[in-house]
Structure formats: C-alpha cells, structure tokens
Amino acid sequence: MALKLWASSTANAIRISCSSSRPDFPAFSIFRSFSSVIEGLKYTGSHEWVKQEGSVATVGITDHAQGHLGEVVFVELPESGAAVAKGSSFGAVESVKATSDVNSPVSGEVIEVNTKLTETPGLINSSPYEDGWMIKVRPSDPSELKSLMGSKEYTKFCEEEDAH
Amino acid sequence: MNLLRMSAVPILEQLYLEERLLRTSVDNWCIVNDRTSRPTIVMGISGFTGGGTVIVDDGTVFVSFICNKNAIPGLQPYPHPIMSWTGQLYSEVLQGFGDFHLRENDYAFNSHKFGGNAQSIIKERWIHHTSFLWDYDIKNMEYLKHPTRAPKYRSARPHVDFLCRMKDYVPSKSTFIERTIKSVGNYFLVKPFGLDDITTEPSCTLPHSTKLLTRQELEDAYSSQSAQQSSENYGHQHTLPQLRSSCLPDEKKKIVCHPTKQLLEKETAGSMIVSDSSGAVVCSF
C-alpha cells in the first residue's frame, strides 16, 4: 500500500497516473495546479480522451480542458444511436463563462450517454476521466485510434500550449 | 479582421448572422450593432452563456468578435484568456472615461456593470459577444427577477444598484464605437464590410440553433411552471418543462429563464425563440 502511495505521488509529480483509482491523500492536492493525464488513454488536440475497452470506446474531456473551462453548469449530449464522426462535434459543455463544443475522437455509433451529467454536470470537473465520462461509442474504424496522442505526447502538447 | 457595422438590426438576426459566421466563415469578424430594433428578452441556455437573462433594447450596443483560434498570437481558445484579451481591449477603449474593470465575466465601472458577455468556442474558432448598456429603460428591467446564479461582486444588489449606464461615463455612442474600432486596429488589419456584402445564400445546411416558440407555448410553459412552483421551491430561477418537451427533442436540455406574468399579459407579438444547442433564447415583445 505504501509503495502504491509513493508510486502515485511520484506519478502525479510527473503528471502521469494510472486509471485504476484516484489517489486520495494530501500530497495529491499539491499537484492540483497541474492537469492530470492518464496512462492508457488516447488524446486529441482538442482535449478529449478516449478509452478503448473491447468494442466500446468511452469518451470525455481531459483535466486540462475542464480546468480551462471552469465550472460546468450544463452538458449537451447526443441521443443513443446517434452517429459520431472523428473530429466532429457531438455535444457541448457549458461553463459559467462559455459554451464549448466537444469533438469525438472516433467515428461510430453512440451506444450509451452518461445521464448522470444532466443532474450533476460538475462531475466533468471533479472526475473528468471517470464519473465525468460523456459518451460510449461503438467505433466503426478502430484504426482511427492510432492517429491519436498517447499520454506522454498529450502531456507535452499541453505544456507547449500553456507555455504560450 | 472584417468589420461589420450595423444599426438597429434585431438581436435575433444578429445572433443568426453570428452563428453563421462562426460556423461557416474562415475570416475573423468584428460585429458592431449600435442598437436592436425592438426590446427583447434574451435568455441564455445551453449555448451562449455567461449572460443569463438580459433585456436588450435600443439603448444596448452590441460588439462581437469571431476569431480563428490562432487569430491572436499567444491567446489560447479558452474562456478566461479570451475574456482577458477583451478586457484589455476595452480597458484601452475606455481609458480616461471611468474606472474600468473586468469583474468575473462582466465589464464594470468600479463595481457597476455595464457590459455582459457570452462566449461560444468551437473546434477552430470562438465568438465573444458583448451587450453594452449604453442606456436602459428601468421599466424593462422590472421584467427581470433577481438571478439565483450571480457573480460574487454583485453582492445581492438589485438591478438599479448593480448596473450603470455607459452614457453617464462616455460622451457619445459613436465615441465608444470609434474608439473600439481603433483599438481593434491595434491587433488586426481592419477591413470594413457592409451587411449587403455578406452573401445571403440560405444556410440550409446549417440548422439554426434557435427555434421560434409561439406565445401559446410560452403561456403553456408558464402555467406548467406556476403549478410546479407551488410544490417545489425554485427560488427566482425557473425551468420550463413545457418548453423543453414541446420544443426540444432531448429531455435533458434545460432552459432557465425568468418569465413574468406581466410579460404574458402585455400586448405583444409574443414571439419567442428557443435554442436547442448553442444559441440563445430570445423573446421579442
């Protein structure tokens, strides 16, 4: 357990963590000023993430994105059964300041939407990679994932963006 | 940047135009509309937010910026950087006229709001839309209830103590507009455009994110809401389930607005437009 805590702490320091659990100890809060990036997910340049599990791809927006958007007050999601296309908008996230389109990292069919976001849109802020997931898609072209960024690449992408 | 100057264009038309330019143009735009032709309630829902519900009339000046995400060097396409950049621009514009501040998402002289903002960010572009209170009719303000979601700096002040009129600070509307255009020129090469220059081909491939509601639908919604109010306490901010179910296919969409009985009783055209994605709710009266 101690080793796991240490490993998580170190991972957070370099802003990469494992997706299995969210660390819950004071040291994590020191690094809250950095956006977290999860190993094992794929990322887009418009700050969405996708997790492939078998024939289902789960999609959401990243910690970097939710941090920049501010408190989310409303989430617009498609219907189950809707078609999504890679790089195209499938919904929107409305924060106190602005509404922002969310783009799908993959093409396919929406098989499930996160209905919890209707009542609790703030899940996107508090748990962008887990409880704040937005849609689940049955991808029509699994090869589309290859062109997406891995965690290290995305971390660097965010650093470069924030450096401007 | 293309500069489009308009006068007395109805806010609904302005919103349609802005949506079209945001989604189908590749240019940067600055749109100035020096007033709207008839008093209108604009209710922001899932889309143009930050503005809540506002009453706009012929004392309101509108300035919108539609930009590609790389239009301003170093500016990231997120709400806060965009807001800061506009704050910087208007700080230059209003230098010497008052103690200008960007307060949360508003423009204020000291702590009195004179400008409200709304933004929409899409993949490669963004729009920042401002309604400036050059002047306002206190009677129109009475249609607005006190919002439950308000910026902290408002400190529960009523409309009259929270807002101010730009005309009390700036000599003339044209002074403000000319100075704004001049400041924009510090960032962009400004190219004047007329409304006639914009081709009016129907954007049939672009579904409007605003939808016309009838007076009946508004009345039905109000009745439904009044019934709900007796059993639930919404405070000052209400949802309109009737509007949602009749006009928006997705049950999850939420409309927040401030209808008043006075409004329904007023003899008006009573048209109302509701957004179902990234637009605004507009009610003309």
Side-chain angles (χ1 to χ4, degrees):
Chain A
M1 181 65 178
L3 190 61
K4 188 182 173 189
L5 283 175
W6 176 83
S8 294
S9 165
T10 310
N12 278 323
I14 56 172
R15 285 175 281 160
I16 293 180
S17 61
C18 301
S19 57
S20 55
S21 63
R22 201 163 175 80
D24 184 24
F25 54 89
F28 181 74
S29 65
I30 295 169
F31 304 110
R32 285 294 289 176
S33 56
F34 296 118
S35 302
S36 66
V37 179
I38 306 290
E39 190 76 40
L41 305 186
K42 291 288 211 168
Y43 299 87
T44 69
S46 47
H47 304 285
E48 292 92 12
W49 57 264
V50 57
K51 178 157 78 172
Q52 177 86 18
E53 288 168 308
S55 63
V56 176
T58 308
V59 175
I61 66 167
T62 66
D63 192 29
H64 181 272
Q66 70 78 21
H68 277 91
L69 289 174
E71 184 195 346
V72 176
V73 298
F74 186 75
V75 183
E76 189 187 309
L77 293 169
E79 304 262 343
S80 252
V84 293
K86 181 183 163 83
S88 291
S89 166
F90 68 80
V93 166
E94 180 175 317
S95 64
V96 175
K97 297 172 186 173
T99 186
S100 304
D101 278 2
V102 187
N103 305 299
S104 183
V106 292
S107 309
E109 183 195 340
V110 176
I111 56 172
E112 197 182 338
V113 299
N114 187 355
T115 52
K116 283 193 192 144
L117 294 178
T118 310
E119 289 306 315
T120 324
L123 286 173
I124 288 188
N125 297 115
S126 59
S127 182
Y129 297 112
E130 290 177 20
D131 297 335
W133 67 271
M134 294 179 74
I135 59 172
K136 290 189 197 278
V137 177
R138 183 171 296 116
S140 54
D141 182 3
S143 69
E144 284 176 334
L145 285 166
K146 293 194 185 115
S147 56
L148 300 176
M149 289 184 267
S151 54
K152 289 189 180 63
E153 218 183 321
Y154 177 66
T155 304
K156 190 157 174 259
F157 177 79
C158 291
E159 278 171 8
E160 283 167 5
E161 228 187 42
D162 284 340
H164 284 124
Chain B
M1 176 169 273
N2 298 333
L3 171 68
L4 180 62
R5 294 183 72 161
M6 314 190 293
S7 184
V9 170
I11 183 61
L12 174 62
E13 273 183 48
Q14 180 182 339
L15 292 174
Y16 277 152
L17 175 65
E18 287 178 359
E19 188 186 352
R20 181 152 70 97
L21 292 175
L22 174 68
R23 294 196 181 264
T24 66
S25 170
V26 294
D27 294 339
N28 299 312
W29 293 85
C30 174
I31 295 155
V32 180
N33 184 15
D34 75 5
R35 60 192 171 95
T36 187
S37 57
R38 58 196 296 205
T40 305
I41 296 173
V42 183
M43 294 176 257
I45 65 161
S46 63
F48 274 84
T49 185
T53 299
V54 295
I55 295 252
V56 297
D57 55 26
D58 63 0
T60 314
V61 174
F62 302 93
V63 181
S64 294
F65 293 102
I66 301 173
C67 289
N68 292 311
K69 72 173 189 181
N70 300 319
I72 296 154
L75 184 72
Q76 286 196 57
Y78 293 113
H80 182 69
I82 295 168
M83 190 75 70
S84 288
W85 177 76
T86 66
Q88 188 183 305
L89 180 105
Y90 288 115
S91 178
E92 293 161 12
V93 171
L94 295 164
Q95 182 94 36
F97 295 115
D99 193 15
F100 173 83
H101 288 277
L102 176 60
R103 294 222 182 267
E104 297 176 51
N105 308 314
D106 300 334
Y107 304 136
F109 287 124
N110 297 306
S111 59
H112 293 97
K113 175 178 173 174
F114 65 86
N117 298 294
Q119 296 174 344
S120 189
I121 302 166
I122 62 173
K123 200 170 169 193
E124 299 293 330
R125 288 162 73 72
W126 51 263
I127 177 168
H128 182 94
H129 172 109
T130 308
S131 304
F132 288 100
L133 289 176
W134 176 258
D135 192 5
Y136 63 83
D137 184 341
I138 191 66
K139 291 198 300 298
N140 287 343
M141 284 296 164
E142 283 162 14
Y143 284 111
L144 295 181
K145 293 186 176 182
H146 195 87
T148 49
R149 185 181 279 276
K152 290 190 182 68
Y153 84 98
R154 183 173 180 142
S155 306
R157 287 176 280 165
H159 295 302
V160 288
D161 296 332
F162 175 53
L163 305 172
C164 68
R165 296 175 171 87
M166 281 181 86
K167 68 173 198 168
D168 295 336
Y169 294 82
V170 185
S172 67
K173 242 192 230 186
S174 58
T175 302
F176 171 62
I177 292 171
E178 295 309 320
R179 284 177 68 102
T180 299
I181 293 167
K182 186 160 176 277
S183 272
V184 173
N186 293 334
Y187 298 92
F188 294 94
L189 186 63
V190 173
K191 182 177 157 194
F193 251 76
L195 202 48
D196 296 337
D197 298 330
I198 297 176
T199 52
T200 51
E201 77 256 9
S203 46
C204 48
T205 55
L206 178 71
H208 280 308
S209 60
T210 55
K211 184 183 162 182
L212 184 67
L213 272 191
T214 63
R215 185 186 177 89
Q216 188 60 52
E217 283 164 323
L218 176 59
E219 287 178 358
D220 290 347
Y222 184 74
S223 306
S224 159
Q225 183 176 291
S226 300
Q228 259 186 320
Q229 253 189 299
S230 57
S231 54
E232 289 174 83
N233 180 19
Y234 282 108
H236 292 288
Q237 215 165 20
H238 310 290
T239 57
L240 291 176
Q242 286 296 94
L243 283 174
R244 183 175 62 207
S245 61
S246 64
C247 303
L248 305 176
D250 185 349
E251 283 294 296
K252 296 181 187 100
K253 291 180 174 62
K254 185 173 78 169
I255 305 167
V256 177
C257 80
H258 303 264
T260 69
K261 199 152 180 282
Q262 290 164 292
L263 177 61
L264 290 171
E265 285 167 353
K266 195 176 165 72
E267 278 302 310
T268 69
S271 63
M272 189 172 180
I273 300 95
V274 148
S275 168
D276 60 0
S277 61
S278 57
V281 176
V282 177
C283 166
S284 288
F285 62 97

